[in-house]
Amino acid sequence: FASERFQKDCNTVKEAVKQNGYALKFASTRLQGDYTIVHEAVRQNGCALKFASERFQHDSALVRGAVQQNGFALEAASARLKNERSIVQEALRQNSLALKFASERLRNDRALVMEAVKQNGHALRFASEKLQEDRALRQIASESQRELPCGPVGPYDPYDLCTPCCRCCRCCPCGITNTKL
């Protein structure tokens, strides 16, 4: 934790967020509302968007940049932007599991869900209930899951985002863990 003086110092905070976007969390409220600071933070880590002033969660250009850097930044986007197809597609290109944060309407969009499921079969669990029962999508999801190069670690809980899914790199579906053994 930085002292209050550093939390309010524009240059200090700017340098901190360039190194680690999450440093925005410790910036003063005033600096969390500064476009230049927030832009630097989400460029370094898209998920830093959740620490930005709420008005930035409505800024389509800033949110687009955030989800391109980290698809999970969609979680912090406004409801309007979670319902904007092009932004959700950008998030899914970066991480198909970001489907979890899309609007209900888009989680019921078969073409969009198909894109996500082709990239990662585990994304199907975030589709609408109707699409989760779609035979073709279930087949694609099943094939997508089989493409792991080394096989599963062991019991895999598809509802736990951080359960390692394979032996060689201990990667998990959410992309948080990716450490070689």
Side-chain angles (χ1 to χ4, degrees):
F1 298 96
S3 72
E4 191 173 325
R5 188 182 93 210
F6 288 128
Q7 292 174 340
K8 292 180 178 183
D9 182 74
C10 186
N11 292 329
T12 302
V13 171
K14 191 174 194 176
E15 288 307 311
V17 299
K18 282 181 180 179
Q19 297 296 313
N20 184 341
Y22 266 44
L24 185 61
K25 177 180 182 175
F26 303 105
S28 68
T29 304
R30 180 180 65 81
L31 293 179
Q32 289 174 341
D34 180 286
Y35 182 84
T36 304
I37 300 286
V38 172
H39 183 262
E40 288 294 339
V42 299
R43 233 174 71 190
Q44 198 284 324
N45 186 330
C47 287
L49 182 63
K50 68 182 167 186
F51 304 118
S53 175
E54 187 178 336
R55 70 186 169 106
F56 293 121
Q57 297 165 1
H58 298 273
D59 182 315
S60 60
L62 193 67
V63 170
R64 185 177 309 280
V67 300
Q68 286 172 340
Q69 197 284 325
N70 186 324
F72 283 167
L74 186 62
E75 179 179 17
S78 68
R80 178 181 63 84
L81 295 179
K82 289 178 181 183
N83 196 38
E84 190 172 308
R85 193 177 216 299
S86 66
I87 287 183
V88 172
Q89 282 179 308
E90 291 288 342
L92 298 180
R93 276 188 205 104
Q94 201 286 320
N95 187 329
S96 62
L97 296 180
L99 183 62
K100 176 180 183 176
F101 305 114
S103 69
E104 182 63 34
R105 179 182 73 85
L106 292 179
R107 287 186 284 126
N108 197 39
D109 180 314
R110 191 171 191 284
L112 194 70
V113 170
M114 176 84 70
E115 284 179 45
V117 170
K118 283 180 178 178
Q119 186 182 80
N120 183 334
H122 297 291
L124 184 59
R125 68 176 170 225
F126 301 122
S128 67
E129 287 184 28
K130 175 184 166 192
L131 291 181
Q132 286 181 27
E133 299 303 319
D134 183 292
R135 185 179 298 257
L137 287 173
R138 291 173 65 104
Q139 179 64 35
I140 291 166
S142 175
E143 291 168 5
S144 172
Q145 290 173 16
R146 268 192 242 128
E147 292 178 9
L148 295 173
C150 56
V153 170
Y156 176 73
D157 177 0
Y159 296 98
D160 177 1
L161 283 180
C162 289
T163 300
C165 61
C166 68
R167 288 187 184 101
C168 69
C169 62
R170 299 174 77 185
C171 59
C172 67
C174 65
I176 293 171
T177 308
N178 194 8
T179 317
K180 295 284 183 191
L181 291 174

